[in-house]
Amino acid sequence: MALLMMDDEEDDRRHFNYEKIVKQQNLSKKKKKLLMKKKELLEDDFQVDVADTRFQALYTSHLFNLDPSDPNFKKTKAVEKFLEEKARQREQKQQNLAKQIQENEIGKKGNIAKKAVDPALSMLIKSIKNKTEQFQARKELKIK
């Protein structure tokens, strides 16, 4: 019984009407002013949690991209937040990739110096160079 009575008490709840919100966002300034005077203008108080894990496919998968050129695309504040978050994540990913590339280059430079110091490897390189030079010299003698 308490649940039935609770519904009557909460008549101040407002329901989300997507069509009305989109329609009123696309109105001209004059029409918006007229509606504001009449107090019929709906305010888009809908808040989206862009960090919610259920929306991760919007940011990572190409299958769920938002296409502003699509005729069914409706520009709302919530959609703008999604687009901003996607741009922010893309920029952050590029910065992380640039940092990784720099770290790899620094790591490779350190590894090259260590390999050159290794005496067995340096001896092997010298041996191959000498044999290659000898082979080239024999080849030149046969040609002449």
Side-chain angles (χ1 to χ4, degrees):
M1 286 302 279
L3 292 175
L4 290 173
M5 298 304 286
M6 191 170 81
D7 286 340
D8 293 337
E9 293 172 5
E10 294 188 28
D11 286 334
D12 62 339
R13 277 194 272 169
R14 295 183 340 170
H15 295 280
F16 180 79
N17 191 340
Y18 179 74
E19 291 178 5
K20 283 186 180 179
I21 290 172
V22 170
K23 187 184 238 183
Q24 288 185 1
Q25 281 186 350
N26 295 331
L27 292 176
S28 66
K29 290 181 181 180
K30 290 181 182 179
K31 289 183 181 179
K32 283 183 183 180
K33 286 182 183 179
L34 286 174
L35 287 175
M36 285 193 65
K37 287 181 182 177
K38 294 179 183 178
K39 297 182 181 179
E40 294 178 4
L41 185 67
L42 289 177
E43 292 185 28
D44 186 10
D45 295 336
F46 185 68
Q47 298 295 323
V48 177
D49 182 16
V50 293
D52 194 345
T53 57
R54 294 175 287 179
F55 298 123
Q56 289 303 312
L58 281 173
Y59 311 127
T60 57
S61 176
H62 70 281
L63 299 172
F64 297 103
N65 275 344
L66 295 175
D67 185 14
S69 65
D70 189 88
N72 295 324
F73 179 80
K74 305 294 184 196
K75 189 173 184 180
T76 61
K77 291 178 184 177
V79 171
E80 287 178 11
K81 285 184 181 181
F82 281 123
L83 293 174
E84 289 171 3
E85 177 66 15
K86 185 170 185 172
R88 186 191 66 76
Q89 285 189 7
R90 184 182 306 130
E91 184 177 326
Q92 185 179 15
K93 187 183 285 186
Q94 288 176 348
Q95 289 175 353
N96 288 343
L97 185 61
K99 285 180 183 178
Q100 287 179 353
I101 290 171
Q102 289 176 349
E103 289 174 358
N104 286 343
E105 289 176 0
I106 292 170
K108 286 181 181 178
K109 289 179 182 176
N111 289 341
I112 291 171
K114 290 179 184 177
K115 288 180 181 177
V117 175
D118 188 20
L121 185 60
S122 63
M123 291 295 291
L124 179 64
I125 292 171
K126 286 180 184 177
S127 171
I128 292 172
K129 282 183 180 179
N130 287 335
K131 287 182 181 180
T132 306
E133 288 174 1
Q134 289 174 0
F135 179 75
Q136 293 293 333
R138 276 191 250 140
K139 191 175 182 181
E140 287 178 7
L141 289 175
K142 287 183 181 180
I143 294 175
K144 291 180 182 180

